[in-house]
Every structure is written in C-alpha cells, then in structure tokens.
Amino acid sequence: MKKTNLLAIMMGTFFLSVVSTAQTKPFQKEEFKQWAQTPPMGWNSWDCYGPTVEEHEVKANADYMAKELKKFGWEYVVVDIRWFVENDKAGGYNQTDPRYVIDQYGRYLPAVNRFPSAKDGQGFKPLADYIHKKGLKFGIHIMRGIPKKAVEEKMPIKGTNGITADQIYSTALQCEWLRDNYTVVADKPGAQEYYNSIFELYAQWGVDFIKIDDLSRPYHEGEINLIRNAIDHCGRKIVLSTSPGETPISAAQHVSTNANMWRMVDDVWDTWPHITHLMDVAQKWYPYIAPGTWPDCDMIPLGRISIRGERGNDRMTRLTKEEQYTLITFFNIFKSPLFFGGDLPSNDAFTLSLLTNKEVVKMHNESTAVKQLFQKDGKIAVTSKNAKDGSVYLALFNISDKDSQKVYVNLSELGISGAVEVLNMWTGEKSKTTSKEIGADLKPHSSVLYQLKSKK
C-alpha cells in the first residue's frame, strides 16, 4: 500500500473516532432480541454479484427497495463477501493474488475502486448514510477471525497495550474454502479487544446488520461469544446473522441466546433439491422460532441472479412458477428472515408480486405458534396462528416429483370447527366451507397457502 493511501486511511479512521458518539452503557444480556422482533427482511448482494458487488449496484438496489418494497417491511441492504478486496472475481474467489485494503489495526476497509465514497478512510459511512436517508438499514458480511495479513505483519490490536495480531491467532480450524483469515483463539489476551475494535469501527460507519461467515460448521462457540460481547459493547444496535452451513441442533440453546438469526443449511440456489433439503432440515428447528431469534432458510434465489455470481451464468431463476410459490410460501410460513438474492431493479411483475402480497407479509410478521403437522409421502403441512385477528394459517405442499396428490388436514387439528371462511392468500380467492377437512389437489412441486377464520 502506498504511504499516501495509508496516511489517508489513518486520518479517516481518526476522524471517525472523533465524530462517533460516546460509548454508552453496554446493552443488557439478550437485549439484542428486541432489535429483531419480527424476522428481518432485506436484500443481499451475494446471489447476484458474488464477491464483486460495487457501490453503484448497491445503491440501485437500495433505490428500488425504497420505492417498491419499504412499505411492505423490506429494509436491510447488505453488502456481502470480500468488499475489502480490490481485484476479486466472479465464479469463485481470487485467492492467488488478492489485494486487500486494511488499516493499521488489522481491520478490513472497503476497496475504494469498488466503493468510491470510502475514499480518505471514510469506510462505509457515506454509503450507510445514503441508505439511511432512504429510511432503510445497512448491513455487511465478514468472515470470522483475524486477517492473515494482520498476523503476518504483526499489526497492533487497538485497545491493547502492545498486543499484536500474531499473538491471538491459530491456524487450527481455518476456513477451508476461503483463506483470508486465521482463527481467533478466544481465551488469548487481545482476542476480545480485536473483535471490540472491528465492531467499534462498524458502529462508527453506521452498520445495522452483520452476517458473519464460517461460524457454524464446526460451531465456533468461543468466537461467537466474543462477537456477542463486542456488539453489546459497541454502542449500536447491530443485528447478528451467523452463517453458513447446517448449524448443529446441539448448539440451538447457545445460538438462540447469542444471535438474531442462524443458517440451517448451506447456500440455497435455484434448484428443486435445494428446497426439499431445506424443508427436511427445518423440521428440527420449529421449536426455536421466536421473536428476536430466527432459524434462517438462507437467501431467496428468485428474480435475476448470478449476474457475476458463484453458480452459473446470468439468468432469471431456474425454478418454475409453482416452485417459486412453494419456496416463498415455505420461507414465509416458517417465519424465516427474508433476504432477496436477485437484482431488484431487474424484477419482473411476477417476482415483485411474490414480495409484496399484503396478507402474506402480515402472516410473516404477526403469526405465532408455527409448527409442522406432518411431512410424509411427499406431503407437508405447516400451520401457525394470528392472535390479533384469530385466524389460522395453513400451508400445504406436494414435494413429490411425479404424481399429483391431495394434501389435506382435519380442521379439528387446527382447533377449528363449524363454518369456516377460507382465503387463498396467493390468488385472493375467498370461499366458505363446512367440511371437517381442508385441502387441495396439488401438482408435483406445488403448494397452497390458506388463511382460515371460523365464521361467527
């Protein structure tokens, strides 16, 4: 790095430190749950742009969200992986000769050639300000651990008396698929201070959401504890998402008392097996769906994806319309966080309709008591309730590959009897029934979503 660039970064970091608000009292234990009482909803750059997203693309998606989606509850705009690399590539990662941007304390900074407003050490603050002015919230992705570059150059850890990066790292359990960072050894002096230093920086930038990668397989309890403590002391409410991979159910108690959301599976792409695998794994997570802590189905691979992505060429989603309804219905009935992966300005009318159905959004925000009634023979039934209006929601799925099937439940299983008003939540069709069961003949890979109300 040229000396002039380093000087600018140092001056910018100093400026941010001066203008940042004074440290307030630490947040109380598990206060973070109040920051995401409903499942977070937003956009993430990964499915479209992989590790190559640029500032103008982030702004274009934020502009679209503010205009078309904000009124439906969509609010987070998240810059995904490797925003600190000047020369990354689509279809994987440049791990041969990456040019990192990093400050004197071993903290990554945005690559100015991709994020011009980050010049002079301003970091993501100007971009966050742009997004905040639209009434939206700003998020970033990081990898767990400490940069290898910081270790190799023995960079000092901010907030310590001479501890350097090479004193808190380990090569054990280094991420297998991206080698930018080393593991932070949680009980080493300086480990907490390092995480404190990066969250101090993110708070100064105005970050509202952070997705932290490589935490779940294996489950890194020590680093998660450091992260939770750092957020709770940074003075800013930052929603925490742990990722990726199948978080072990044995860690359910720990993750639900430290994170707002956690991934249940690896990346979900636009193929049918990804959806059925997700539904299978999700079965064990229903008991942990609760305000402030949400099992996460991953991003929504709909619309236009892989413009410069990891999997395949630039395309509209490969899922059929029926499969898209099935995916979005499951994400909503399960109360997963909703992070759209497609390029929002490229949306067609159908894709937009999947994100802006008022009744479905209401169910996603207000429903409680989510549970699976059954999953067998290619049939799935999931239900929840709305205590505010007394309605019951019911999603039915035929996930078999070949045969149409009648999928139904007895209304007594839903606590409903007598005459029932039925709303098909996707078509808007209303009907009434006095039958003792409710269901539908469903084609392979298709679904239906009902709102049911007992007629008084």
Side-chain angles (χ1 to χ4, degrees):
M1 184 183 297
K2 294 180 180 179
K3 289 184 179 179
T4 54
N5 289 344
L6 179 59
L7 178 62
I9 288 170
M10 292 174 68
M11 292 178 64
T13 302
F14 174 77
F15 173 76
L16 285 172
S17 297
V18 171
V19 302
S20 65
T21 57
Q23 175 66 50
T24 59
K25 290 182 180 179
F27 296 112
Q28 296 179 359
K29 183 177 176 60
E30 298 192 29
E31 185 177 346
F32 74 90
K33 294 181 181 180
Q34 299 300 317
W35 310 341
Q37 284 288 287
T38 57
M41 302 167 63
W43 173 82
N44 180 293
S45 63
W46 169 250
D47 284 359
C48 329
Y49 300 107
T52 71
V53 71
E54 298 178 2
E55 183 168 359
H56 67 96
E57 293 160 333
V58 177
K59 286 183 174 180
N61 278 273
D63 293 347
Y64 181 98
M65 183 181 291
K67 180 181 178 182
E68 303 288 351
L69 299 177
K70 184 173 73 170
K71 59 180 174 280
F72 295 94
W74 299 83
E75 60 178 347
Y76 290 97
V77 177
V78 180
V79 176
D80 208 89
I81 199 164
R82 266 190 152 197
W83 38 266
F84 45 80
V85 176
E86 294 179 332
N87 60 336
D88 221 326
K89 64 176 185 177
Y93 304 98
N94 176 12
Q95 300 200 67
T96 303
D97 60 345
R99 297 197 304 270
Y100 300 113
V101 183
I102 195 168
D103 76 0
Q104 71 270 32
Y105 296 116
R107 303 178 297 183
Y108 291 124
L109 300 175
V112 175
N113 64 324
R114 293 168 53 196
F115 299 93
S117 70
K119 64 182 180 180
D120 300 327
Q122 295 182 87
F124 272 130
K125 190 176 189 308
L127 180 55
D129 288 346
Y130 179 91
I131 289 169
H132 291 154
K133 287 177 183 177
K134 293 184 172 293
L136 303 173
K137 295 180 179 180
F138 176 65
I140 61 173
H141 168 291
I142 65 169
M143 300 296 296
R144 70 169 176 89
I146 190 163
K148 290 170 62 178
K149 184 177 178 65
V151 171
E152 292 163 358
E153 298 186 12
K154 299 183 179 181
M155 292 181 173
I157 295 172
K158 191 173 186 291
T160 68
N161 186 20
I163 298 175
T164 52
D166 57 301
Q167 295 175 276
I168 69 168
Y169 87 104
S170 171
T171 57
L173 301 177
Q174 185 183 12
C175 179
E176 295 180 356
W177 47 269
L178 187 57
R179 315 295 280 186
D180 294 336
N181 291 2
Y182 289 127
T183 296
V184 169
V185 181
D187 59 358
K188 288 277 191 179
Q192 184 65 67
E193 287 82 358
Y194 178 73
Y195 271 109
N196 290 351
S197 75
I198 63 174
F199 278 97
E200 175 189 83
L201 183 62
Y202 303 156
Q204 292 164 6
W205 287 347
V207 170
D208 306 294
F209 178 100
I210 190 156
K211 172 185 172 184
I212 305 187
D213 222 323
D214 195 45
L215 282 172
S216 301
R217 191 177 57 224
Y219 187 75
H220 292 273
E221 182 173 327
E223 285 195 74
I224 290 173
N225 290 336
L226 297 178
I227 292 162
R228 176 76 269 145
N229 193 50
I231 295 175
D232 287 346
H233 285 79
C234 78
R236 187 172 182 85
K237 298 175 181 179
I238 300 177
V239 169
L240 173 60
S241 166
T242 69
S243 180
E246 297 191 6
T247 301
I249 194 67
S250 60
Q253 183 62 34
H254 184 265
V255 76
S256 63
T257 54
N258 286 278
N260 295 105
M261 48 190 277
W262 57 90
R263 285 272 292 279
M264 298 182 291
V265 294
D266 286 328
D267 290 1
V268 172
W269 284 97
D270 52 332
T271 72
W272 182 246
H274 280 96
I275 300 174
T276 54
H277 175 66
L278 169 64
M279 290 172 156
D280 182 52
V281 172
Q283 292 185 82
K284 60 191 174 186
W285 287 107
Y286 284 89
Y288 298 95
I289 300 170
T293 56
W294 309 103
D296 178 16
C297 288
D298 191 27
M299 283 171 285
I300 300 169
L302 302 183
R304 184 186 178 194
I305 60 176
S306 210
I307 294 172
R308 296 191 306 277
E310 183 196 30
R311 303 280 182 95
N313 297 322
D314 185 351
R315 63 186 182 276
M316 295 299 285
T317 185
R318 294 172 292 194
L319 298 172
T320 67
K321 282 193 173 182
E322 291 298 339
E323 291 169 345
Q324 292 181 61
Y325 275 124
T326 292
L327 181 148
I328 203 70
T329 295
F330 185 77
F331 275 52
N332 275 280
I333 192 77
F334 189 82
K335 291 183 74 74
S336 171
L338 302 179
F339 280 82
F340 189 75
D343 180 60
L344 288 172
S346 302
N347 276 354
D348 56 18
F350 175 71
T351 304
L352 180 60
S353 75
L354 297 176
L355 310 180
T356 56
N357 182 302
K358 291 181 179 179
E359 294 301 326
V360 175
V361 169
K362 180 180 178 182
M363 176 190 71
H364 183 252
N365 286 338
E366 298 182 3
S367 60
T368 59
V370 184
K371 65 178 181 179
Q372 178 182 279
L373 298 175
F374 56 79
Q375 184 168 165
K376 60 182 180 180
D377 301 326
K379 305 174 184 180
I380 301 176
V382 182
T383 186
S384 61
K385 299 179 180 179
N386 190 320
K388 294 184 178 181
D389 62 16
S391 60
V392 173
Y393 302 108
L394 177 65
L396 303 174
F397 305 89
N398 176 10
I399 63 170
S400 66
D401 292 328
K402 296 182 179 179
D403 301 321
S404 295
Q405 299 193 85
K406 181 177 181 181
V407 187
Y408 68 92
V409 299
N410 293 320
L411 288 173
S412 60
E413 295 183 66
L414 305 175
I416 298 175
S417 59
V420 178
E421 296 178 344
V422 181
L423 170 67
N424 183 315
M425 295 173 67
W426 287 116
T427 67
E429 181 183 358
K430 296 180 180 179
S431 60
K432 297 177 182 178
T433 183
T434 57
S435 173
K436 293 183 179 181
E437 64 181 38
I438 186 165
D441 290 315
L442 297 176
K443 297 178 181 178
H445 301 190
S446 67
S447 60
V448 67
L449 179 61
Y450 293 128
Q451 181 185 40
L452 309 173
K453 290 184 179 181
S454 294
K455 186 180 179 182
K456 297 180 180 179

